[in-house]
Amino acid sequence: MIDVTIADEIPDLLSPEFAADPYSAYRLLREHAPLLWHEATGSYVVSRYEDVRRAFKDDLFSTENYSWQLEPVHGRTILQLDGRAHAVRRALVAPAFRGKELEERFLPVIERNSRELIDAFRHEGRVDLVSQYATRFPINVIVDMLGLDKADHDRFHRWYTAIIAFLGNLSQDPRVAEAGMRTRDELAAYLVPIIRQRREAPGDDLLSRLCLAEVDGVRMTDEEVKAFCSLLLAAGGETTDKAVASLFANLLDHPDQLAAVREDRSLIPRAFAESLRFTPPVHMIMRQPVEDVEIGGGTVPAGSTVTCLIGAANRDPEHFGSPDTFDLFRPELDGTTSFSAAARHLAFALGRHFCVGALLAEAEVRVGVNDLLDAMPDMRPAPGARRVERGLFTRGLEALPVEFTPVAGSSSRSGS
């Protein structure tokens, strides 16, 4: 008999009540059901910080579950790999997302895309930060980094939206599954011929670098390059999209902290880190134990799926003071380590599968927040606007309309 605590008063993960307010349910889970068997998803749910952190870092937990969760739409990526295979392929892709390569080669791409989006609305005095900026900015950056056709931005936006819906399709809606599989085929038909062209005639872009990168005599196959691009478009687009909008929503809800960031832009990384803790774009990640494991006060059998609730762990009062309060000055977080494997929040996971694009996300948010504050120094919520958050696997705002007094000129900040 598996020792699992069940609390009937907790809204089901797939219920409208949970969707409307997951944070209240997270508190009940942490307090009364730190290990919960969820029949509909066939998974064991953990919600306390230490348990989620352990599932990310302990070698007893693998990513084998991604073979059914991710592989159907992405193909096999670094997320499904462990050991040397993972280390080598991560080494093939990681250099583009950190240090000199990121700052010198791709920061200008980030700055240009942010300016172009802002220049389209900076004179209007009103903007929906979700539809007119946040959902476009990261996907445009990734398309440009890969050296793909900017005319296809809308197509890539549609593709990544379908992929993310597939990954979060815990209720197994057949229409969502069909759209995800169709997107996989369309994306492969688009990317594979371009990958082959770049191998023959490489350019100065990320896709060419992925095609030519070699570590210990290993290069990625066409399928592996395609799979990584698919993962980058979906994960890099969706998470940064939601993170940008949530950050501004949190700052608008706390005018004193918004004013502090406006006056001292060095606070942007701290504000971003706190927003990732308070309202993470990814609320759950799954793992699979390689042997029977004791966690959350019970036993999870080898080969089971463990659903790790990041949104619950990031508000665990055992690790964060006043966890339901947004406070960019909180002592538990800082802007230096929050985008590395030493992060206290769990929004980027931890361990060997810590998000390879964390520093790219930080650079995008740093540039975007600077540019938006310059263009809208008196940004304020649009009167009567009602905020709605949606999503279970990933979660974010449907819209964030704001008003501002237009500032003459065009975007020119370097993003520093």
Side-chain angles (χ1 to χ4, degrees):
M1 184 77 175
I2 299 172
D3 180 16
V4 181
T5 303
I6 304 280
D8 293 336
E9 70 272 20
I10 300 173
D12 185 82
L13 266 65
L14 303 182
S15 69
E17 293 80 9
F18 188 95
D21 179 19
Y23 294 104
S24 295
Y26 291 157
R27 178 179 54 79
L28 292 172
L29 284 166
R30 287 192 309 265
E31 294 176 357
H32 303 293
L35 180 66
L36 175 75
W37 167 250
H38 188 248
E39 185 70 34
T41 58
S43 70
Y44 294 84
V45 180
V46 294
S47 49
R48 291 179 177 171
Y49 183 93
E50 283 301 332
D51 293 331
V52 173
R53 185 178 186 275
R54 181 185 172 201
F56 289 157
K57 294 201 71 173
D58 196 321
D59 288 342
L60 289 177
F61 294 86
S62 75
T63 54
E64 282 297 313
N65 53 289
Y66 285 171
S67 62
W68 59 263
Q69 188 185 9
L70 298 182
E71 215 159 311
V73 286
H74 284 318
R76 196 157 183 80
T77 72
I78 57 174
L79 292 181
Q80 292 101 301
L81 300 174
D82 284 308
R84 183 177 182 275
H86 172 265
V88 169
R89 282 157 182 81
R90 188 177 178 99
L92 287 168
V93 302
F97 301 98
R98 66 188 184 209
K100 185 176 180 180
E101 185 83 357
L102 174 61
E103 290 293 324
E104 294 186 1
R105 185 173 300 277
F106 296 123
L107 189 59
V109 175
I110 295 170
E111 293 167 352
R112 181 177 67 251
N113 277 281
S114 178
R115 288 195 299 267
E116 288 175 354
L117 287 168
I118 291 172
D119 284 346
F121 62 74
R122 61 182 297 117
H123 304 295
E124 296 179 1
R126 182 184 175 100
V127 64
D128 173 16
L129 283 178
V130 173
S131 65
Q132 293 176 258
Y133 187 85
T135 62
R136 299 292 172 175
F137 179 38
I139 203 70
N140 290 4
V141 167
I142 292 167
V143 169
D144 284 5
M145 286 175 65
L146 290 169
L148 301 174
D149 192 341
K150 293 185 69 170
D152 291 320
H153 279 174
D154 287 343
R155 184 189 300 189
F156 279 107
H157 184 269
R158 175 172 57 82
W159 281 340
Y160 100 75
T161 301
I163 291 171
I164 288 296
F166 179 96
L167 300 181
N169 188 25
L170 299 182
S171 62
Q172 297 299 301
D173 184 327
R175 294 167 299 178
V176 173
E178 180 184 353
M181 301 300 281
R182 184 170 61 250
T183 294
R184 174 202 62 187
D185 295 339
E186 292 175 0
L187 187 58
Y190 178 96
L191 276 176
V192 172
I194 297 175
I195 290 168
R196 291 171 179 164
Q197 292 170 7
R198 299 291 166 88
R199 290 199 192 277
E200 295 297 323
D204 190 24
D205 55 71
L206 177 57
L207 184 55
S208 296
R209 288 170 175 268
L210 293 173
C211 290
L212 299 179
E214 184 173 322
V215 173
D216 294 343
V218 175
R219 284 189 178 184
M220 287 194 288
T221 65
D222 291 354
E223 175 60 27
E224 287 175 324
V225 173
K226 185 274 296 180
F228 183 76
C229 291
S230 174
L231 176 66
L232 180 60
L233 287 163
E238 175 79 356
T239 56
T240 307
D241 158 359
K242 288 176 165 50
V244 169
S246 292
L247 171 56
F248 272 98
N250 289 327
L251 290 174
L252 287 166
D253 286 342
H254 300 83
D256 56 331
Q257 297 184 56
L258 174 59
V261 172
R262 185 184 294 117
E263 292 302 314
D264 180 2
R265 304 298 175 86
S266 71
L267 292 174
I268 291 173
R270 288 191 65 98
F272 183 30
E274 172 64 351
S275 191
L276 288 172
R277 183 202 68 82
F278 188 67
T279 48
V282 178
H283 272 234
M284 59 180 64
I285 290 178
M286 296 178 179
R287 290 290 188 263
Q288 182 173 309
V290 298
E291 60 184 59
D292 291 0
V293 63
E294 298 291 324
I295 191 169
T299 303
V300 175
S304 303
T305 296
V306 176
T307 298
C308 305
L309 296 181
I310 293 172
N314 274 352
R315 293 201 185 192
D316 190 333
E318 294 296 316
H319 284 267
F320 300 101
S322 302
D324 295 320
T325 299
F326 178 85
D327 179 10
L328 68 86
F329 298 106
R330 67 171 54 250
E332 301 97 333
L333 299 175
D334 66 57
T336 303
T337 61
S338 291
F339 309 100
S340 72
R344 288 285 299 277
H345 68 80
L346 302 177
F348 292 127
L350 288 174
R352 61 186 176 276
H353 290 289
F354 178 81
C355 177
V356 72
L359 290 176
L360 172 63
E362 188 278 330
E364 289 175 322
V365 170
R366 174 166 35 97
V367 169
V369 172
N370 269 311
D371 286 348
L372 287 165
L373 290 178
D374 284 348
M376 302 182 289
D378 62 348
M379 181 197 317
R380 55 198 178 271
R386 177 172 170 265
R387 291 187 199 160
V388 177
E389 280 191 354
R390 295 203 185 278
L392 176 63
F393 179 71
T394 61
R395 186 172 180 85
L397 291 165
E398 284 193 332
L400 184 60
V402 300
E403 293 183 349
F404 59 97
T405 303
V407 177
S410 62
S411 302
S412 60
R413 173 175 286 270
S414 66
S416 59

